[in-house]
Amino acid sequence: MAKSRNKSNDPGSPGAEGEKAPAGLRGVAGLLVSMGLVYMFMFHLGPALEQGAWIKPMADFIEERNIESSMYFYTEVEEFSDARLNWQHTMTYAPRAFTEPPLCP
Amino acid sequence: MVENIEQRSPDDEVVMDKPTSQWSDLWKKEDYMAIWLGFFILLVGVLIYFNNAPSGMDQTISSANATLEEQADRAPFKTIEWYQAMDAKSKLKATGSSIGKTIKEFTSKPQGWSGNPVHAFYMSEETAGEIRRKASVKYEAASQRAQAALEEAKQAQQAAAAANFNNESLNEQATDEIIQWREAKAGASSAKKKAGVSAYNQIPHLIGLMIVLAVFFGIGMKFMGKSFGQFVKGFLFVFLIAILAYTAASNATMKHYGIGYAAWAILFGLIISNTVGTPKWVMPSVQTEYFIKTGLVLLGAEILFGKILSIGVPGIFVAWVVTPTVLITTYIIGQKLIRIPSKTLNMTISADMSVCGVSAAIATAAACRAKKEELTLAVGLSLVFTSIMMILMPAFIKAVGMPEILGGAWMGGTIDATGAVAAAGAFLGERALYTAATIKMIQNVLIGVIAFGVAVYWCAKVDCAPGQRVSAVEIWHRFPKFVIGFITASIVFSFMYSSMGADVSYAVIDHGALRGMSKIFRGWFFCLAFVSIGLATNFRELREYFKGGKPLILYVCGQTLNLCLTLLMAYIMFYKVFPEITARI
């Protein structure tokens, strides 16, 4: 990724310690409030919302099947391994009713 | 990132490289360093797992394949024995070897928890025993359900066999019963894992991993002429935030919403940098690109082209026709109609939305050198829409009575995050899961092609003055070199996969070098990169990129097109062009 002109990757830039970062008590207060909001979402709002009729069935299902629903790539999710095996075998060892030649070597 | 940077014009935020290459780039530039570090991990993975193949692997494979051949000739549907033979092969995993288990234990991220965050790191034998007792009750019930489903499936199969498999109604009934048994079996397997929980203490392992990674990346920094000591000191802080991000993502409720480590890593980093400020001594370790590029080289190895050829033609059409079409159309809409001010932001959002969310966003952003704020925005949009689509799409598909396979294909092609596709697909049923997962897997493989194409396009067309002709040598100088490592890793592992055969590759590559090594470290590297992004980003800068809500409009327009085209193509491919394949699923 490109370096932006304000060089915010560097020390002293906005976001880093220094010139524009909120300092002192205001900064600490901001940190505490942010942590409080995260806590509220994780331990109160989130659990309360998932009791809703739209979300609960999916939440219960993910819990019951222990699905890694927050992962980003197929190697991180066990269900993809099963799906790949099933497809590969379905294509290679198709039941006799299907007389077409195999679709893969 | 290349050090020589010049600006096009005072008002233009896009930056470009001064094209030069030197031999010392091989150890001084992070693009090359990422390749060497990534290759080192892959080599270690190959050496370990190729020498620890599961015992009796060849016999199990040949015996299972003989059964599969026999059962394929026996009945017009996949019999119980057919599935049992497949299951026997699925247990062959090099990661199950003692060294595989040790690596997993020492590199494991924080454990799943709900209620008490301490359980992410530590669980006493007493607590584990209590959880085991409760989970055992559920496992017993799930196991009995699976056993009962198996008995019913056996009876239905026997009835079909008694009619010499010529009675269509009996065949259909047997197929349905077998599918129900498979679903019950999947439930029992999950329950079994929970019932097997044991006491653990992750803290020493995490400390060990932190030291290993600090030295690993620190050596690279030293080669690149930076201070080893300063990097290591700051790395401890970055790694601690990464642990926090993984801990938040391991929370049960957050898993239900599909909110992963990337979101938490960026959020925690942002909170620190925008409140108390990122400490100055941490900044030498805020190396977003270094971590991302090393992770991307590992990701390359997980992109196996041979694998997709064995998993179905219709999915290839759905993923490989719709995805590039949506990507290019969305990019054009972003440039011409919505007029997104930054081309790199436009491309990152387009790829993130049309391919597969966060991993595609990372690869594309690195290939076109998007800014960290642009990647943050793309990832944020993707995560919000993934959570919504994961919940709404299966509900809609059920409500309108859409066929399971069509619904699975639709979700696989449109929901961004891979894990969310698994959850939504499985929620609809086993067939929907298999179809959705296959299409998403093919999209995952497309990341390599897209990253390479974007890198070449950017070097040849975007990063040059209007009307300027760029020579091949100049393209080479400007080309992000880590992409070569990414593509090389993919080609080498795809070649190994094809030459070893699907069954052996499953055991020692897929469930060995990749899931037992590459996947683990890549996850940590991406998490460190997202923490770095958060630690170096200012809310005000981020707000600038969101001006006028243009990125949101782009995402919504692109996703709408994606939803329509994917549904249409899935219908054509699975029900008109290849109905015989749909019948086999």
Side-chain angles (χ1 to χ4, degrees), chain A residues 11-92:
Chain A
S13 69
E17 184 190 67
E19 52 184 2
K20 288 184 186 172
L25 276 178
R26 203 172 138 221
V28 175
L31 179 67
L32 292 175
V33 168
S34 304
M35 284 166 58
L37 289 173
V38 170
Y39 173 84
M40 286 300 290
F41 177 68
M42 194 173 281
F43 293 96
H44 297 284
L45 186 63
L49 281 177
E50 73 174 343
Q51 296 306 315
W54 281 88
I55 304 174
K56 191 166 177 16
M58 178 59 85
D60 289 346
F61 181 77
I62 290 171
E63 192 60 39
E64 185 194 316
R65 291 281 290 266
N66 203 19
I67 297 174
E68 290 285 353
S69 56
S70 55
M71 288 293 128
Y72 306 120
F73 204 68
Y74 79 89
T75 46
E76 296 165 328
V77 185
E78 200 53 40
E79 282 72 17
F80 275 68
S81 176
D82 300 338
R84 199 277 278 183
L85 264 186
N86 189 66
W87 264 95
Q88 181 209 318
H89 287 87
T90 301
M91 296 294 118
T92 314

Side-chain angles (χ1 to χ4, degrees), chain A residues 1 5 8 50 63 69 75, chain B residues 10 194 255 289 302 370 372:
Chain A
M1 280 153 286
R5 272 190 295 165
S8 56
E50 73 174 343
E63 192 60 39
S69 56
T75 46
Chain B
K194 286 184 184 172
K255 273 189 189 175
E289 294 182 37
E302 295 169 50
K372 61 188 186 313

Side-chain angles (χ1 to χ4, degrees), chain B residues 75-115:
Chain B
F77 55 84
K78 290 179 270 184
T79 61
I80 295 166
E81 294 78 8
W82 190 99
Y83 278 111
Q84 286 170 334
M86 186 181 77
D87 289 343
K89 286 207 278 184
S90 76
K91 287 175 187 153
L92 297 170
K93 296 174 180 173
T95 45
S97 61
S98 59
I99 189 158
K101 286 176 183 165
T102 308
I103 290 172
K104 190 182 174 190
E105 196 185 341
F106 278 88
T107 55
S108 176
K109 51 191 197 280
Q111 305 282 330
W113 60 279
S114 86

Side-chain angles (χ1 to χ4, degrees), chain B residues 5 36 158 267 281 313 387 439 490:
Chain B
I5 291 175
W36 310 136
Q158 274 167 10
L267 181 68
W281 55 270
V313 176
S387 294
I439 290 185
S490 176

Side-chain angles (χ1 to χ4, degrees), chain B residues 383-396:
Chain B
L383 292 173
V384 170
F385 278 89
T386 294
S387 294
I388 295 169
M389 288 170 75
M390 179 180 81
I391 290 161
L392 289 188
M393 283 188 83
F396 176 80

Side-chain angles (χ1 to χ4, degrees), chain B residues 355-431:
Chain B
V355 189
C356 53
V358 173
S359 30
I362 296 171
T364 316
C368 70
R369 304 171 198 204
K371 291 169 194 160
K372 61 188 186 313
E373 293 83 2
E374 296 173 340
L375 178 58
T376 302
L377 205 54
V379 167
L381 281 170
S382 170
L383 292 173
V384 170
F385 278 89
T386 294
S387 294
I388 295 169
M389 288 170 75
M390 179 180 81
I391 290 161
L392 289 188
M393 283 188 83
F396 176 80
I397 289 164
K398 276 190 174 177
V400 299
M402 191 184 288
E404 229 182 73
I405 291 170
L406 182 60
W410 194 31
M411 293 191 300
T414 53
I415 297 178
D416 287 347
T418 305
V421 167
F427 189 69
L428 271 190
E430 291 296 294
R431 288 170 170 181

